[in-house]
Amino acid sequence: MQTAADAGDAATLLAAVPAGRRVALVDPRFVGHVHALRLGLTDPRFAAAAVPGALTAQPEARGALLRALRRTTAAVGAGAPVVAPDTDPAPDDRTVPGRIAVALEAEGTAVKRPELGSLTATVPTDAGARATAESARDEVDDEAVRLRSAVKAHDGFFTTFAISPYSRYIARWCARRGLTPNQVTTASLITALVAAGAAATGTRGGYVAAGILLLVSFVLDCTDGQLARYSLQYSTMGAWLDATFDRAKEYAYYAGLAIGAVRGGDDVWVLALGAMVLQACRHVVDFSFNEANHDAVANTSPTAALSDKLDSVGWTVWARRMIVLPIGERWAMIAVLTALTTPRIVFYALLIGCALAACYTTAGRLLRSLTRRASRTDRAAQALADLADSGPLAQGVAAVAPGLRGAFTAPAVALLGTLVMIGGALLLPYGSWLTVAAAAVYVVLSGLAVARPLKGALDWLVPPFFRAAEYVTILVLAARSDAPHAVPAAFGLVSAVAYHHYDTVYRIRGGTGAPPQWLVRTTGGHEGRTALVAVLAAVLTHAAGFTTALTALAVAVALVVLVESIRFWVSSSAPAVHDEGELA
């Protein structure tokens, strides 16, 4: 920390700081809470940020900061005092940091101004104002504010009332001992994997231990995000870990339950894979709808008005959050049922609960889409096309027949293709080449569905239909196969593909676009993988080779996707994605 005598001296001192370091400029008369400064000066997600009387710039904004400071120095004089005359129209911009923040924004550099709430941050201009500011500062416990702000604003009922009241203190304990959110996230994953291993024993003691460990894992899962918010330790690696480990934990636990059930004489692999497929399809509905409406203006439809009205009544808020069976409620249900019942009952409860939640949320999204009048942007259409995950076969159809869709809408064509594919896998004789023919029809219809920009009111349904077609086809063909262990192999394949789809979502959310086209081409796209599985089922009928083929395909997809994903998320271009909403 160095003290500048005036604006000109501040410019000289800042220019001497090594280029790769963050810099901050604070008015010496600043009065406020330490946490207010922390929010304004230490959050790594923003290139430039400011609170009244203080400004910071990351290395990428250092050049703009120096240019703005030199312009300010030229305007007010190198020897100008830190506080400008009281005649300035905006009180927060009277200080040199405030003037520079305005200059930065005028140049086109975004300056984050965090919400301070009850925290004090000001630059008093006289003794009376200083006394008032100090009194306001002393009346508010910034540590209490910091703890409260560590908790998500919109968590589920179970998380809010059963976990967060004490997990925030665990987060503070971790922060004071130098632990990072990534370390806590990794601990949560390890705990969940141990829980899956305990469930795989197939014993009552193992099930009880699995339920307890799953709850501990969830506590740690809440703690890592609270630690990140408490200590402002956001990172690209943390974004990737947080975005993927929840799914890895849940799917590993499903597998552990299925293995334990088989050891007890009850094969529930089909139920386990069905639960995973339903959960993944629920998520893509959420992702796709949100991306379609990312740039849309506020929804003034009657459905949205009713939703807002319900949210104004306290008990309906919690009821609606519980109906969608978010991760907290879901994991609590899984943990309790694991300890007290059997894996089959756990999966029945999951399938019924998630199916009801999916019906509720999807119906609401359909009503909102049908009753609003909004045009989709090019960005939204591109996001939906990326979420569709169309491979070279569908892209080829779309390229040669862009006008053949006729009067049919994209979701109608995608739904027809999905029904043809799933119906063929389910109703035609297993191993029949007619199923391969159904896959060929699905490829053509998939291409027609994405032949035009996805800007229709219901075009957000296209990616969910494709996910359902691929995942359910793999499930049905594996379940109908006589090949031993075909369903566990299919579980692995769907897990690898689902990871690819979640990775795509979080890249789009971070503003970096979808994975590279070479990755989509290499993995075949949804229609290519679906057709390949149909061909394998026809060629390897009633043979253990079908299991081997599914396993090899799962390993190949997982290796390609994971290598590219890890390369991206540890690179400098990866976004710091931290979802403040709770994933269902």
Side-chain angles (χ1 to χ4, degrees):
M1 179 183 297
Q2 300 186 61
T3 302
D6 49 45
D9 189 28
T12 302
L13 291 174
L14 288 176
V17 177
R21 296 177 59 183
R22 174 203 287 267
V23 295
L25 190 63
V26 182
D27 193 291
R29 300 186 185 186
F30 176 87
V31 174
H33 290 98
V34 173
H35 192 52
L37 280 178
R38 187 182 293 114
L39 289 172
L41 303 182
T42 65
D43 195 323
R45 295 174 296 176
F46 311 107
V51 295
L55 171 71
T56 186
Q58 298 263 40
E60 60 267 31
R62 285 275 303 278
L65 170 64
L66 282 174
R67 289 192 299 271
L69 180 55
R70 285 164 180 156
R71 286 199 303 273
T72 301
T73 301
V76 302
V82 177
V83 180
D86 291 343
T87 55
D88 281 6
D92 289 345
D93 299 336
R94 294 172 182 169
T95 66
V96 169
R99 286 178 178 272
I100 297 171
V102 173
L104 281 172
E105 291 172 322
E107 184 179 316
T109 300
V111 178
K112 174 66 176 179
R113 301 175 187 271
E115 294 290 336
L116 298 181
S118 59
L119 296 175
T120 296
T122 186
V123 177
T125 56
D126 55 51
R130 173 170 288 276
T132 300
E134 290 175 346
S135 176
R137 178 195 61 195
D138 295 340
E139 288 176 359
V140 175
D141 183 355
D142 69 337
E143 178 61 20
V145 173
R146 189 182 182 189
L147 276 173
R148 286 197 303 270
S149 62
V151 178
K152 282 182 182 178
H154 302 288
D155 256 334
F157 182 88
F158 178 76
T159 305
T160 299
F161 295 104
I163 304 297
S164 293
Y166 59 87
S167 61
R168 69 184 74 181
Y169 295 101
I170 300 176
R172 182 171 66 180
W173 183 89
C174 292
R176 291 177 175 177
R177 283 153 184 80
L179 297 178
T180 67
N182 292 352
Q183 291 171 331
V184 178
T185 301
T186 303
S188 176
L189 174 66
I190 293 173
T191 304
L193 294 179
V194 174
T201 63
T203 64
R204 177 52 50 194
Y207 290 149
V208 172
I212 294 173
L213 288 170
L214 187 64
L215 288 177
V216 173
S217 175
F218 182 65
V219 171
L220 293 174
D221 184 55
C222 295
T223 300
D224 65 358
Q226 291 167 356
L227 174 58
R229 287 182 287 274
Y230 179 85
S231 57
L232 300 178
Q233 295 184 73
Y234 301 109
S235 67
T236 54
M237 178 62 74
W240 176 62
L241 295 177
D242 189 57
T244 57
F245 276 16
D246 279 353
R247 308 283 75 77
K249 289 181 287 189
E250 192 163 8
Y251 297 163
Y253 193 81
Y254 290 177
L257 280 175
I259 293 172
V262 170
R263 287 188 171 182
D266 187 15
D267 190 342
V268 296
W269 271 108
V270 171
L271 297 178
L273 181 50
M276 183 172 69
V277 168
L278 179 56
Q279 194 61 26
C281 289
R282 281 186 66 200
H283 284 163
V284 78
V285 167
D286 295 339
F287 296 142
S288 190
F289 178 80
N290 290 336
E291 289 304 324
N293 294 281
H294 183 274
D295 302 318
V297 296
N299 193 341
T300 57
S301 67
T303 307
L306 175 61
S307 178
D308 293 339
K309 185 175 181 180
L310 290 174
D311 280 343
S312 66
V313 182
W315 69 269
T316 62
V317 174
W318 295 115
R320 296 174 72 199
R321 291 185 188 179
M322 294 174 69
I323 287 173
V324 301
L325 201 64
I327 188 170
E329 277 74 0
R330 189 169 69 253
W331 282 27
M333 180 185 74
I334 293 172
V336 172
L337 291 179
T338 298
L340 300 180
T341 64
T342 65
R344 180 172 289 273
I345 293 177
V346 173
F347 288 123
Y348 281 154
L350 266 175
L351 289 167
I352 293 172
C354 289
L356 292 175
C359 290
Y360 171 78
T361 55
T362 304
R365 286 167 169 75
L366 286 171
L367 288 173
R368 284 173 180 262
S369 300
L370 291 172
T371 57
R372 81 180 299 177
R373 295 291 182 267
S375 59
R376 306 296 179 205
T377 64
D378 291 338
R379 180 208 174 279
Q382 184 59 52
L384 292 181
D386 292 335
L387 288 174
D389 191 32
S390 299
L393 297 179
Q395 290 177 0
V397 172
V400 299
L404 293 183
R405 203 174 70 196
F408 294 100
T409 63
V413 176
L415 175 60
L416 178 61
T418 298
L419 294 177
V420 168
M421 188 66 256
I422 295 177
L426 189 62
L427 301 177
L428 293 173
Y430 176 79
S432 168
W433 283 96
L434 291 176
T435 305
V436 178
V441 173
Y442 173 66
V443 168
V444 173
L445 292 175
S446 298
L448 295 178
V450 295
R452 299 178 184 174
L454 299 177
K455 292 187 175 183
L458 296 178
D459 284 0
W460 57 269
L461 286 169
V462 171
F465 285 148
F466 289 163
R467 293 298 82 74
E470 179 179 5
Y471 296 167
V472 175
T473 297
I474 296 172
L475 166 61
V476 170
L477 292 179
R480 296 186 66 192
S481 170
D482 290 336
H485 310 301
V487 179
F491 189 98
L493 175 57
V494 173
S495 298
V497 174
Y499 175 87
H500 166 56
H501 291 144
Y502 282 109
D503 183 60
T504 300
V505 166
Y506 279 91
R507 292 194 195 208
I508 294 173
R509 281 188 172 185
T512 58
Q517 272 298 303
W518 71 260
L519 179 64
V520 177
R521 290 193 297 269
T522 300
T523 56
H526 69 92
E527 81 289 351
R529 291 186 298 269
T530 304
L532 177 58
V533 172
V535 170
L536 291 175
V539 172
L540 303 172
T541 306
H542 306 303
F546 186 53
T547 299
T548 303
L550 288 179
T551 302
L553 181 58
V555 171
V557 171
L559 283 176
V560 173
V561 169
L562 280 173
V563 168
E564 161 56 22
S565 178
I566 293 172
R567 181 210 63 77
F568 171 77
W569 286 101
V570 300
S571 69
S572 59
S573 60
V577 180
H578 288 269
D579 187 15
E580 290 302 310
E582 179 160 285
L583 196 59

